[in-house]
Amino acid sequence: MMRLVVLISGTGRNLQAILEAQRLGRLQGRVCAVISNRPDAAGLQFARDAAIPAITLSHRDFPDRDSFDAALSQEIDRHAPDFVVLAGFMRILGSDFVQRYRGRLLNIHPSLLPKYPGLQTHAKALANGEAWHGASVHFVTEAVDGGPVILQGQVRIRPDDTNDSLADRVMREVEQVIYPEVIALACAGRLQMRNDQVIVDGKVLTAPLQLDELRTEH
Ligand code: GAR
């Protein structure tokens, strides 16, 4: 069984989906700890409900990014994870941290990367009149929201969409589906990163996997 540490900052709906996949026996792995940089993160409750250590490490208690990152990696390493899963973890991690977990560090981002890195992705997609929006799971490298993409899922933008309606649909129809899928692949030993490229089942991915393709395969 692969060991996972999940990092959150907020509501934890991605964490919730990962724990549900674990509960249903879909992961050859288990979440060993959940760490939040915010003491009030609602998502910590999902960990407590599943009897998983729910740990707070507030970045406010540290003078700078490097000292927070160092304390965070010390806490992570106590749980000896095979993968570190960023699930709405809203802190930029320094390059020492990223190097340390290279190839074992996953993130989900609410856009069809490389479009709309950063914040307010839903508002930007709406403002630009996009027909499609979605989310991406990627390996983390030094480039913020820039590491190689593993799996994406899309939703069609509706004429009456608001920021909230779009964010909600992306969360429920894409994020909560694609993150458990990728983590299942990782836990099955089918997913690696080599030379900043994604390898699935020993083959280099030339383009991100698409949720629709996975659905038709199953
Ligand atoms: C999710 O939409 C996630 O994709 C996003 O934060 C939200 C967290 O929600 N992450 C980023 O924007 C990272 N750049 P959650 O706490 O309910 O999973």
Side-chain angles (χ1 to χ4, degrees), residues 10-14 87-88 90 107-110 145 171 175:
T11 43
R13 288 158 298 174
N14 279 293
M90 304 307 275
N107 184 41
I108 188 158
H109 182 76
D145 299 326
M171 175 56 69
E175 297 197 46

Side-chain angles (χ1 to χ4, degrees), residues 24-72:
L24 294 171
R26 293 195 179 139
L27 306 181
Q28 295 170 48
R30 67 186 175 90
V31 177
C32 299
V34 173
I35 306 173
S36 170
N37 66 310
R38 304 184 67 99
D40 56 350
L44 286 168
Q45 194 57 40
F46 292 120
R48 293 189 195 108
D49 290 347
I52 292 164
I55 299 150
T56 296
L57 196 67
S58 174
H59 59 275
R60 302 224 166 109
D61 294 342
F62 296 86
D64 52 33
R65 191 181 303 285
D66 284 352
S67 56
F68 172 69
D69 283 4
L72 181 59

Side-chain angles (χ1 to χ4, degrees), residues 29-141:
R30 67 186 175 90
V31 177
C32 299
V34 173
I35 306 173
S36 170
N37 66 310
R38 304 184 67 99
D40 56 350
L44 286 168
Q45 194 57 40
F46 292 120
R48 293 189 195 108
D49 290 347
I52 292 164
I55 299 150
T56 296
L57 196 67
S58 174
H59 59 275
R60 302 224 166 109
D61 294 342
F62 296 86
D64 52 33
R65 191 181 303 285
D66 284 352
S67 56
F68 172 69
D69 283 4
L72 181 59
S73 47
Q74 220 173 43
E75 182 58 43
I76 291 170
D77 292 350
R78 287 202 315 119
H79 307 280
D82 297 288
F83 286 92
V84 178
V85 176
L86 307 181
F89 186 70
M90 304 307 275
R91 294 281 306 166
I92 291 177
L93 295 160
S95 68
D96 284 357
F97 185 97
V98 172
Q99 287 291 344
R100 183 181 189 92
Y101 300 105
R102 206 174 172 73
R104 303 192 288 136
L105 188 55
L106 298 169
N107 184 41
I108 188 158
H109 182 76
S111 79
L112 298 170
L113 289 172
K115 280 190 175 171
Y116 309 123
L119 300 174
Q120 267 121 39
T121 58
H122 309 298
K124 287 175 189 160
L126 285 172
N128 281 346
E130 298 280 4
W132 296 91
H133 187 46
S136 310
V137 178
H138 65 96
F139 279 113
V140 177
T141 60

